[in-house]
Amino acid sequence: MDSTTPDKDREPERRAVSERAALDQRALHRSFLDNLLYVQGKFPRLATQTDYYLALAHTVRDRLMQRWISTAAAYTTQASRTVCYLSAEFLMGPHLGNNLINLGIYDTAAEMLGELGLDIEELLYQEEEPGLGNGGLGRLAACFIDSLATLEVPALGYGIRYEYGIFHQTLVDGWQVEKTDKWLRYGNPWELARPEWVVEIKIGGRTERYTDEHQRLRVRWVPARIVNGVPYDTPILGYHVNTANTLRLWKAEAPESFDFGQFNSGNYAGAVTQKIVSENLSKVLYPNDEQEQGKELRLQQQYFFVSCSLQDMLRILKVQGIPIDRFHEKFAVQLNDTHPSIGVAELMRLLVDEHLVNWDTAWDITCRSFGYTNHTLMPEALERWSLPLFERTLPRHLEIIYEINARFLDQVRLRFFGDEERLARMSLIEEHGPRYVRMANLACVGSHAINGVADLHTELLKQDVLKDFYELWPDKFSNKTNGVTPRRWIVLANPKLTSLITETLGDGWIRDLDQLRGLEAHVQDAAFVQRWQAVKRGNKAELAAHIGRRLHITVDPDSLFDVQVKRIHEYKRQHLAALHIIALYLRIKADPNADIVPRTFIFGGKAAPGYHMAKLMIKLITAIGDVVNVDPHVRDRLKVAFLPNFSVTNGQRIYPAADLSEQISTAGKEASGTGNMKFQMNGALTIGTMDGANIEIMEEVGAENFFQFGLTTQEVYAWQARGYRPMDCYEKSAPLREVLDLISSGYFARGDTSVFKPLVDVLLQYDPYFLLADFDAYLACQDEVSRVYQDQTRWTRMAIINSARSGKFSSDRTIQQYCKEIWTVTKVPVRLLTQEDVEADFMQ
């Protein structure tokens, strides 16, 4: 992995550091053995693979510490403007491999371990992945903080240290079963607890008005209970730079975790009640919120981490001696979707109630501090909370929101005189029927910038979801198309391709992905094309072996790997791909000698625990596989594999091996997508609708290098307006009828006609995501995919062009746009502290 070797211009710094932070093989060897003995307390004959992993992790963390402390010192000394990224999810993935690459010592560590008879790849897979996110939202946050560090931009990521992350998915008879994700079972070598920076969080209770000693009317929040927030910090190192920013995750604890009096009286359970209740706040990622208790816990979680984070920012202001009225000059606070939008009301409370800032000044500071990223066009994802729930949880915040709303609606009345319907739509309180607090509206009103995450998504926000706010404040709106980090998704995930590209172009592309354009000069080079094909074939063989071990399904690496891995949802339309498999299967049953291009269909993704239709979609896919994979007529031309428990780790296996990337959501439903970008970077071709970032991918690669099908957003709206009847599609399309009739017959359920009846009924009666309307076009497009795949030279050239033109979709580009157009922050290069610097600091 030549691209990870240390930069020559960093050698003087490397020589200047202490032995504990040295990066040469001898120093790594000594540190590894020290950590095995003195941290793990094991000698080699008793050590497990987990012990070896932890020893290596601590060895790497030692090297991060000098950069982390140097970064903190630089930011403190310079009082640098800092990006604070508030996100309910951070799906970081395993840290070890990423840190080895960013330090430039992956190969050195591999050689050191090899001399000890250890395999670095085996140790990498020992790491328990922190499942602190559900999907794209959390993974985007992870890519962003990677890019912020690589670009040397001062930043803090703020979130929740969930004790149990996203559930561990297993399949039992094809049905999803959720198991507890115990990612902390062996501890977390990457984090440091910071109990000295604990903050208090109030919940529930009531408010009181009183007059203070200066005769000022003030409000006091008298909470029902108090919870402590304890920060746990993880260093996030940039690629081949000294910058190591901080991911600060908050754990909930009770102020008094043990009631000695209750214990002595014999109430042993009551003695720890407060501990249990308080720790629930950071216990589980996204508790099931179908019940009122789940909704209340989720609101408390969101408030908990936002309040902790804002209070932490105020602490930093104090440490750096910055006046509170310059909060917005020190911090650029980004709301990653609506989950942290309570921050608008919380910052107002902290400024007005706790720091006695007058309302108008506090509101100016708040609006100039916050930016809001919207990630969804789905109405159900624009969070809202019932007034009774909100009031009993956050009584003071409801009063503040009422005041914000009254002043805001006065603005709207002046601008849109007499438009009462607009007032009702824009109000922070939903007045029609049961009353709710609208969190997206609060985020819009309290932020100076609002952005979507793909060109189409942003336009639809302006035209539909947030149209009223756009018409009031058009200058607030901009687009920031998402991106992903090439360090994890190419360099770490695809070392074979990394070596080929670096040998061809040099390693500058890792920090400037636009340099991949240089690959286009080699698309006619037969030798280069052959090497590219060998890389892809090798990756496919590795994934095929993994599928064989995991699922006991034999997969042909020369077949077309047709892949769809993402959260399971009806709008993402995994069941459209399932119908295509059945259509191909029916062709083979009608003619066992039919000329079918061999395909391996690979699925992965989790369904929300309470989302029955999504679980039924998983069951359908696995049921199809149970039939197709063993039917002798198929003769291995079709294989179906659903890889359970899709995660960052599994993604690193899958993206490099894919030939075809399925991005087939209903047009106008996917905000952006980032899986599509990971596939493209690794040389997969896309079959997709004109939705989310698919449009921009096709613009970059050219329509001739993209398989496009389906209704456009405008056509979807038109079909809705004139009254869409899915049964019409069923009646007009013979292939569609055959597919749905076969499912309805119970063929894939051992004759049980009831299993998939709910899914078929929804499609035929409602089909809210226009699956049947797109079915024939999708089949025709897939036939074109098969024709092109038969010409391997053409397919490979298209794949190279896709990878070569993926530069726009680096998260580095996205972050540069945020920095320039929303955050107004600049990079702060970090000089490594030496032992002399530390000793001198004692003398100050």
Side-chain angles (χ1 to χ4, degrees), residues 243-277:
T243 299
N245 286 331
T246 298
L247 173 63
R248 182 159 292 159
L249 303 178
W250 298 94
K251 178 185 177 183
E253 293 184 355
E256 294 292 337
S257 60
F258 184 78
D259 188 327
F260 199 72
Q262 291 275 8
F263 186 86
N264 278 345
S265 68
N267 185 3
Y268 304 134
V272 293
T273 296
Q274 281 303 310
K275 173 180 172 65
I276 294 169
V277 171

Side-chain angles (χ1 to χ4, degrees), residues 401-667:
I401 287 171
Y402 280 150
E403 181 66 20
I404 294 171
N405 199 38
R407 293 173 181 237
F408 165 63
L409 292 181
D410 284 344
Q411 285 183 265
V412 178
R413 286 189 186 92
L414 292 175
R415 177 72 182 276
F416 301 102
F417 179 74
D419 193 342
E420 295 300 319
E421 290 186 3
R422 185 185 296 265
L423 281 172
R425 292 194 303 268
M426 299 184 75
S427 173
L428 306 188
I429 309 297
E430 187 172 319
E431 303 287 358
H432 298 303
R435 302 179 74 200
Y436 292 90
V437 180
R438 296 162 161 169
M439 302 310 287
N441 291 25
L442 177 63
C444 289
V445 172
S447 300
H448 68 89
I450 303 165
N451 71 278
V453 291
D455 284 340
L456 175 63
H457 173 235
T458 300
E459 287 308 308
L460 292 175
L461 289 180
K462 295 176 183 179
Q463 297 168 19
D464 186 7
V465 179
L466 300 178
K467 179 181 179 182
D468 293 314
F469 292 96
Y470 176 68
E471 290 177 351
L472 178 63
W473 294 310
D475 292 343
K476 276 192 181 186
F477 283 75
S478 68
N479 177 62
K480 302 290 174 283
T481 297
N482 284 340
V484 301
T485 170
R487 269 76 63 183
R488 181 173 291 276
W489 296 114
I490 307 178
V491 180
L492 180 59
N494 200 343
K496 296 184 181 73
L497 185 62
T498 296
S499 295
L500 176 58
I501 296 173
T502 299
E503 183 181 327
T504 306
L505 302 177
D507 66 1
W509 63 274
I510 299 173
R511 292 190 63 178
D512 178 11
L513 205 62
D514 284 333
Q515 291 186 26
L516 288 184
R517 286 275 181 173
L519 294 174
E520 291 192 52
H522 301 272
V523 294
Q524 302 297 332
D525 180 342
F528 179 82
V529 169
Q530 187 174 18
R531 291 183 66 191
W532 185 283
Q533 290 172 333
V535 167
K536 178 64 73 171
R537 178 61 166 69
N539 291 334
K540 292 172 70 175
E542 289 179 8
L543 181 58
H546 176 72
I547 291 171
R549 290 190 301 269
R550 186 76 186 272
L551 302 179
H552 307 293
I553 298 173
T554 301
V555 167
D556 179 7
D558 292 317
S559 64
L560 192 164
F561 277 24
D562 184 331
V563 184
Q564 190 175 20
V565 288
K566 57 184 66 189
R567 182 165 52 92
I568 308 297
H569 197 290
E570 288 169 277
Y571 89 81
K572 295 179 183 287
R573 303 202 297 191
Q574 285 91 349
H575 45 341
L576 177 57
L579 299 192
H580 171 232
I581 300 171
I582 298 173
L584 292 178
Y585 177 68
L586 284 169
R587 289 183 195 174
I588 292 173
K589 296 301 282 185
D591 178 8
N593 296 313
D595 184 16
I596 300 289
V597 171
R599 289 204 194 208
T600 298
F601 296 90
I602 300 168
F603 295 87
K606 297 178 181 179
Y611 191 176
H612 177 71
M613 191 58 68
K615 290 184 172 183
L616 193 58
M617 291 160 63
I618 294 174
K619 173 63 176 174
L620 176 62
I621 292 165
T622 58
I624 293 169
D626 289 342
V627 172
V628 169
N629 292 344
V630 299
D631 190 324
H633 289 129
V634 173
R635 298 202 308 275
D636 294 333
R637 284 171 288 180
L638 304 178
K639 285 292 175 73
V640 181
F642 191 104
L643 281 166
N645 203 45
F646 183 64
S647 61
V648 173
T649 302
N650 287 328
Q652 290 171 197
R653 289 187 175 103
I654 294 169
Y655 294 120
D659 291 308
L660 185 68
S661 163
E662 296 264 0
Q663 308 297 330
I664 58 177
S665 54
T666 311

Side-chain angles (χ1 to χ4, degrees), residues 725-740:
R725 291 187 68 254
M727 188 60 76
D728 291 344
C729 301
Y730 173 82
E731 292 170 350
K732 292 177 182 177
S733 171
L736 178 59
R737 279 199 310 277
E738 292 176 5
V739 167
L740 291 180

